[in-house]
Amino acid sequence: LPISLFSSMMNLMQALLDYLPSSVSVDAAGACIALIIMIVVGLGECMKQQRGLKENQCLDTSKLPKISAQVLKQFDGKVVPRKLCSVKGRIYDVSSSPNFMPGASYACLAGADATVGLAKMSHDKKYVDNLAYQDLSDDEWKTVDGWVHYMDAKYPCVAMLEDYVRYEEKHATQNPGPECP
């Protein structure tokens, strides 16, 4: 009798094992679920950036506060936790990015105007807070416009840099923005 009981239990165990998926099936299902989660998160981030881009591009910058380069320096994340960065006169709140924290890769751009450095694609500190906008070539301005598009998609524009606004008024470089509702 004990052998037949043992045999019955083994048959029951085998039936259960046949019902359960194999480890390969579990691994494949897990990989599919992880892929689906990554796609959903990626699409959500893309939609968030598209909303931010549209909001920033349709922003009436004349109604934004204007601050000087000197005031901007206070927002480098060292004393005041808020971090701001200016590109082509648009001041972005980059506080959400760990890249602008003290000691991080873009820390030197927090509390600064990055226009000339980004135009030249250089991390050289001589281009940080360099307000020699008139020295930029047409190709460098196209590079800056690409950076403005990137920043518009990632960070809220919260103010305008007085120095750049004066430059723009003097050189009449105001570009018409996108059509907004």
Side-chain angles (χ1 to χ4, degrees):
L1 189 65
I3 292 177
S4 67
L5 182 60
F6 179 75
S7 179
S8 295
M9 288 178 57
M10 288 304 289
N11 288 338
L12 181 61
M13 292 282 280
Q14 186 60 47
L16 284 172
L17 288 175
D18 289 342
Y19 177 73
L20 294 175
S22 69
S23 64
V24 172
S25 298
V26 171
D27 289 347
C32 288
I33 290 169
L35 181 62
I36 290 169
I37 290 170
M38 289 188 326
I39 289 171
V40 168
V41 169
L43 285 173
E45 183 63 26
C46 182
M47 290 171 60
K48 177 183 168 191
Q49 286 187 8
Q50 288 298 323
R51 274 192 309 273
L53 179 65
K54 186 173 182 172
E55 287 173 13
N56 278 339
Q57 287 181 338
C58 293
L59 197 59
D60 183 356
T61 57
S62 68
K63 294 182 179 176
L64 289 174
K66 291 170 185 54
I67 63 175
S68 68
Q70 194 63 33
V71 171
L72 180 62
K73 289 180 190 298
Q74 298 172 17
F75 296 96
D76 61 0
K78 294 176 184 164
V79 177
V80 178
R82 189 173 192 199
K83 294 175 284 300
L84 302 177
C85 178
S86 175
V87 179
K88 199 175 179 184
R90 298 170 72 85
I91 298 175
Y92 299 95
D93 185 341
V94 295
S95 302
S96 64
S97 174
N99 296 322
F100 290 89
M101 296 176 90
S105 56
Y106 297 127
C108 65
L109 301 179
D113 179 58
T115 305
V116 174
L118 291 174
K120 297 185 177 295
M121 300 296 285
S122 173
H123 283 286
D124 192 327
K125 291 188 184 199
K126 73 180 180 182
Y127 296 125
V128 176
D129 281 328
N130 181 329
L131 305 179
Y133 307 120
Q134 70 280 356
D135 296 341
L136 298 178
S137 70
D138 288 342
D139 284 342
E140 288 171 328
W141 278 116
K142 287 177 186 171
T143 300
V144 170
D145 288 338
W147 281 105
V148 168
H149 186 272
Y150 172 80
M151 297 293 280
D152 276 346
K154 290 271 292 184
Y155 308 107
C157 181
V158 296
M160 294 298 292
L161 186 67
E162 284 177 349
D163 306 80
Y164 186 83
V165 171
R166 279 195 300 276
Y167 165 81
E168 205 171 57
E169 288 168 353
K170 184 177 177 184
H171 292 87
T173 61
Q174 183 72 21
N175 295 326
E179 301 235 351
C180 297

